[in-house]
Amino acid sequence: MKIREALSELLGERYVAEASGGVDLGPVVHGERLHGGSGPVSLLAKPANTAEVVEVLKLAARFRWPVVPVGGRTGTVGGTETPTPSVLLSLERMNRIEEIDCAAMTVTAEAGVGLQTLQEAVESQGLVLPVDIGARGSATVGGVVSTNAGGLRAIRWGVTRDNVLGIEAVLADGTVIDGLRKLLKDNAGYDWKHLMIGSEGTLGIVTRAIFKLQQRSAPPATALLACSDFTSALALLRRLSAETGGRLTSFELSWREVYDLVAHSPDWNHRAPLAAGYPFYALVEIDGGDAMLGEVETILERLMADGLVVDGVLARSSRDCDDIWATRDDMSPLGRLGPIFAYDVSVPIDLMGELAERVARGVAEELPRARLFTFGHAGDGNLHFVIAPGHGRAGDASVADHVVFRETGALRGSISAEHGVGLHRLAALPYTRTPEELALMRTLKSALDPEGLLNPGKVVPPVAS
Ligand SMILES: Cc1cc2nc3c(=O)[nH]c(=O)nc-3n(C[C@H](O)[C@H](O)[C@H](O)COP(=O)(O)OP(=O)(O)OC[C@H]3O[C@@H](n4cnc5c(N)ncnc54)[C@H](O)[C@@H]3O)c2cc1C
């Protein structure tokens, strides 16, 4: 019996389909480098529960077909691409929120639950899921856990890893590892879940997860503040953290080129909150601040008097708030520049300014006609560089990659702060991981997936020949 028939017999005909190069799965949200729809024919399989995931993995192992887990497909590094015929394992039918435990402040959900659906369910109980990302509408629990997503609340509550208490995962040979525990403290041996979190489907399939929750506070205060140099922006971050008693939930920094292009573009559908031309723009959000706008205003006035802020606007209405957030959420003018190369890197917070300068110098020297745009979750040391080469010369992409990764590596930063490695960032790993670290990754991969069937070719670089 061929694998297609075997899968249909197992799951039912309607839950198995042919998928050519991934295009049959629906539109891919735009990411760092879009890859086209040509490719080998794979099989899309949709199990309904963990037991069926186990049987799919056993079948795939028997037919020696790779298994590529698929969540909301919002990942930007080609993690769900299928260079060879594969079983695309979609967990979309595993979409049950199993329990919201208000006493323990936890939520247990299956891997196919959408992030936004989970957030809304939790909020209806007066609690907050600390994990939030821009792609919340499509991203899933399985994808978020498997990529260790960071996102908009990381400055206050950390990344996904900091908020997952337990997971259930299925190994390549079909073994179910049940680590669904609600324990904040648990030092009984290896904490294996942290191997799975962020492993992008290369070590196991995440089928269920328990997240810890936080108390919901009053709506935040939102402001856009202009600074005259990077040192002031960094001092502003520190002072705001201290003076708001740790309630700072966002500190998004845009360099002038980004704000001027985005907020003053004629086809941008929002009101520009501040004038163009300031060197830096910091979008800040303070939890619970809406109820005490007067207090926030006093803090901002003090920061202005001390010269850390040269101009600013505090949102007074939800429309103001939307306009301020649009400077980060609606970057459509960047997308209209033609081909762009986008990067998501991190360095220690105090080195962000130096990294930005080094990259700007490298781009000016090695891609003199290119335009560089810099912004990011600066409160987490996470910077995004967007390079618009301005013309279509072959080889520009690898020059841009080299500049950004070389400078990031030189400061002992990470070539991937949030988006993972997938397929597209594989070649860049040596900029950020030592040969010994890469060897350890290979050892772990071959221990957990000796046949190399789980999301092959992703995350773990082959040994150099
Ligand atoms: C507009 C936009 C904004 C974004 N903002 C952020 C952000 O702020 N922070 C951030 O960190 N990321 C962000 N991302 C990237 C992306 O949304 C995250 O990586 C997200 O966690 C991926 O979830 P997904 O369900 O779409 O996973 P997919 O894209 O479907 O898969 C991602 C990877 O996880 C694997 N995988 C999926 N499900 C499972 C599973 N159940 N078990 C094992 N492996 C699995 C896949 O094989 C793949 O390697 C953004 C993307 C977009 C398009």
Side-chain angles (χ1 to χ4, degrees), residues 29-30 69-76 79-80 91 111 133-135 139-140 142-144 146-147 149-151 200-201 204-206 377 418-419 455:
V29 186
H30 94 108
V70 171
R73 298 190 79 230
T74 64
T76 61
T80 55
L91 304 189
I133 61 174
T140 60
V144 162
S146 304
T147 57
E200 301 178 50
I205 309 297
V206 175
H377 309 300
E418 290 195 323
H419 293 183
N455 219 355

Side-chain angles (χ1 to χ4, degrees), residues 63-399:
F63 285 90
R64 299 196 55 73
W65 270 49
V67 175
V68 177
V70 171
R73 298 190 79 230
T74 64
T76 61
V77 288
T80 55
E81 284 181 22
T82 51
T84 51
S86 309
V87 175
L88 285 154
L89 186 74
S90 165
L91 304 189
E92 66 188 65
R93 291 173 68 211
M94 294 180 61
N95 57 7
R96 284 172 290 262
I97 298 175
E98 296 180 346
E99 182 193 40
I100 299 176
D101 182 338
C102 294
M105 301 224 331
T106 60
V107 61
T108 307
E110 288 186 309
V113 174
L115 180 61
Q116 189 169 346
T117 304
L118 191 64
Q119 289 172 338
E120 287 169 1
V122 162
E123 275 159 32
S124 73
Q125 303 297 313
L127 297 168
V128 177
L129 182 74
V131 179
D132 188 26
I133 61 174
R136 67 183 77 75
S138 308
T140 60
V141 164
V144 162
V145 171
S146 304
T147 57
N148 184 29
L152 305 170
R153 296 170 178 158
I155 188 174
R156 176 127 194 235
W157 286 311
V159 297
T160 297
R161 186 183 299 290
D162 303 307
N163 294 288
V164 173
L165 292 176
I167 60 173
E168 176 189 80
V170 184
L171 301 184
D173 65 0
T175 306
V176 179
I177 311 279
D178 176 0
L180 285 172
R181 295 187 188 88
K182 299 177 183 174
L183 307 175
L184 204 58
K185 291 186 169 181
D186 178 6
N187 286 345
Y190 300 147
D191 199 349
W192 61 269
K193 70 174 178 290
H194 286 298
L195 262 187
M196 293 289 160
I197 299 171
S199 66
E200 301 178 50
T202 59
L203 299 181
I205 309 297
V206 175
T207 42
R208 295 197 280 164
I210 300 181
F211 294 88
K212 65 180 170 196
L213 303 175
Q214 300 290 340
Q215 291 293 353
R216 197 172 61 184
S217 40
T222 308
L224 189 68
L225 309 172
C227 303
S228 56
D229 52 49
F230 184 78
T231 310
S232 305
L234 203 58
L236 174 65
L237 167 63
R238 294 204 173 111
R239 287 272 304 271
L240 270 175
S241 293
E243 296 190 23
T244 61
R247 286 181 295 127
L248 186 67
T249 39
S250 298
F251 190 90
E252 303 288 313
L253 195 64
S254 295
W255 272 238
R256 178 197 343 231
E257 295 75 18
V258 174
Y259 183 82
D260 290 1
L261 177 84
V262 169
H264 293 273
S265 170
D267 44 11
W268 194 63
N269 289 326
H270 314 270
R271 297 170 305 168
L274 284 178
Y278 292 115
F280 292 90
Y281 294 81
L283 189 169
V284 307
E285 201 170 78
I286 298 157
D287 219 8
D290 194 42
M292 39 185 111
L293 275 187
E295 186 190 322
V296 173
E297 218 161 7
T298 309
I299 295 173
L300 296 183
E301 277 164 10
R302 211 159 42 229
L303 296 169
M304 226 161 192
D306 292 347
L308 300 185
V309 174
V310 287
D311 196 0
V313 56
L314 181 62
R316 305 273 172 192
S317 65
S318 60
R319 188 172 170 214
D320 291 350
C321 191
D322 290 347
D323 288 332
I324 290 176
W325 267 107
T327 63
R328 276 297 270 110
D329 286 345
D330 179 4
M331 295 211 150
S332 46
L334 270 179
R336 288 193 277 276
L337 290 173
I340 52 172
F341 313 129
Y343 303 91
D344 156 48
V345 303
S346 61
V347 285
I349 291 180
D350 55 337
L351 295 181
M352 278 187 305
E354 182 179 343
L355 177 64
E357 278 170 23
R358 290 170 79 131
V359 168
R361 229 173 8 248
V363 168
E365 281 164 16
E366 295 172 52
L367 290 167
R369 279 188 270 175
R371 294 171 73 187
L372 171 68
F373 300 89
T374 307
F375 58 100
H377 309 300
D380 318 326
N382 180 183
L383 282 182
H384 298 301
F385 295 110
V386 170
I387 297 175
H391 54 85
R393 246 187 21 207
D396 282 351
S398 38
V399 174

